[in-house]
Amino acid sequence: MSDQRPIGTVLENRLMGEGVYVTDCERRGDDLVLEYEVVTETPAITSHEVGTVVRTVLAVADEREGWEPGGLEATSTTTDGAVRGTWRVEGDWFRRLHDDLSEVEFSERVLGTVDLAGDGQQVQ
């Protein structure tokens, strides 16, 4: 039996167990726009949090008949609401993953989109 709850609710429930707390989730056309907060002392987005979110989105897409993530735009904030940065996954990258785009290439592309709120820090 498939889970028919809204995608945002499913992601919120799954990510909470990973220390990622969804504060907003909406569809904009084919894209999923996600805002989340993390409880960490690290001021910048980490590759671990990006990986956690992407793996969760992919798992939900695999389990949910008839749903594909399209693109993903993510904003990471602190618990105080300060933006830690943004990152994205192009819909084409999701579609090509495991076809002509390896997991390594996919990860490199996604991590290459991380914008750390203009402070010049590198993804950790």
Side-chain angles (χ1 to χ4, degrees):
M1 176 179 256
S2 66
D3 188 347
Q4 295 306 310
R5 294 176 295 165
I7 297 298
T9 302
V10 175
L11 289 173
E12 181 178 4
N13 291 339
R14 298 233 184 135
L15 288 168
M16 189 181 321
E18 301 292 333
V20 176
Y21 302 93
V22 175
T23 56
D24 191 32
C25 182
E26 64 181 72
R27 294 293 301 216
R28 287 192 193 147
D30 291 336
D31 292 342
L32 185 64
V33 179
L34 183 70
E35 183 172 304
Y36 63 89
E37 63 185 29
V38 292
V39 180
T40 181
E41 293 183 24
T42 306
I45 292 174
T46 66
S47 59
H48 175 76
E49 78 187 62
V50 172
T52 297
V53 173
V54 169
R55 281 190 305 277
T56 303
V57 168
L58 287 170
V60 170
D62 283 345
E63 296 166 5
R64 191 142 181 157
E65 190 173 321
W67 182 74
E68 293 183 21
L72 172 64
E73 296 178 28
T75 301
S76 176
T77 66
T78 65
T79 55
D80 295 331
V83 173
R84 296 171 68 235
T86 61
W87 55 274
R88 72 180 190 291
V89 182
E90 298 293 332
D92 184 55
W93 301 345
F94 277 130
R95 287 186 291 279
R96 293 177 49 207
L97 181 61
H98 302 297
D99 284 337
D100 67 334
L101 192 62
S102 72
E103 288 184 17
V104 171
E105 292 169 317
F106 177 85
S107 296
E108 287 173 348
R109 287 180 184 204
V110 174
L111 292 176
T113 70
V114 173
D115 179 355
L116 300 175
D119 62 8
Q121 294 181 352
Q122 299 295 312
V123 66
Q124 300 181 6

